[in-house]
Amino acid sequence: MEIVYDEKICVKCLACVSESESGGVTYEDERIKFDKTCPEDWRNIAEICPVGAIAIKDSDEVI
Ligand code: SF4
């Protein structure tokens, strides 16, 4: 599983940070940080983003 995050379109609304329950998404130094080792509902976090800045790719998927 890969988290693809496009910082250029992110509006820093922090919805993904709020949706994160296990510290997988944090806001540090004015940047969104992802820790994919955390047991989050990653697809739900990607869906909550209003601008589609987060995409979840299965590792066996051709990007
Ligand atoms: S939900 Fe999307 S737009 Fe909002 S802070 Fe997270 S990545 Fe950025």
Side-chain angles (χ1 to χ4, degrees):
M1 190 275 286
E2 291 294 328
I3 301 162
V4 182
Y5 165 59
D6 189 341
E7 189 170 12
K8 293 190 295 297
I9 62 174
C10 172
V11 294
K12 309 285 194 312
C13 71
L14 307 186
C16 54
V17 179
S18 303
E19 196 66 16
S20 160
E21 293 177 346
S22 306
V25 190
T26 51
Y27 185 58
E28 295 168 40
D29 303 326
E30 301 183 358
R31 301 185 78 177
I32 305 293
K33 302 236 167 102
F34 296 90
D35 181 352
K36 72 173 186 178
T37 63
C38 290
E40 300 288 359
D41 183 344
W42 290 108
R43 289 183 192 281
N44 191 44
I45 288 174
E47 278 171 19
I48 207 115
C49 177
V51 295
I54 308 167
I56 305 302
K57 307 271 186 196
D58 293 324
S59 45
D60 58 351
E61 198 177 328
V62 177
I63 301 171

